Amino acid sequence: MELNVVNRELSVDDVQITGVTTSSLFLIGDADSIQLASTFDTPPESLIIGPFVPLSPKG
């Protein structure tokens, strides 16, 4: 597989984020390397997975 990337000027005026997940990454711009990891030391029976919680609106 061959991947060609052409970096050009990037202009971001406004970003609105209404919610995030338990494991998320928000990136604008360049990154040489990204490494993410997550570990739980909680017993599986105490883990509660529910709907995402939206961020509170600006006020």
Side-chain angles (χ1 to χ4, degrees):
M1 179 169 85
E2 184 176 330
L3 176 66
N4 294 315
V5 177
V6 178
N7 289 321
R8 295 197 172 106
E9 184 177 333
L10 175 67
S11 176
V12 178
D13 291 331
D14 186 35
V15 175
Q16 294 181 1
I17 299 175
T18 57
V20 295
T21 63
T22 55
S23 177
S24 59
L25 170 69
F26 178 75
L27 175 69
I28 296 177
D30 293 337
D32 290 332
S33 176
I34 298 174
Q35 182 176 356
L36 303 173
S38 179
T39 305
F40 286 104
D41 61 353
T42 306
E45 59 271 6
S46 65
L47 179 63
I48 300 172
I49 299 175
F52 79 98
V53 178
L55 300 175
S56 59
K58 292 182 181 178

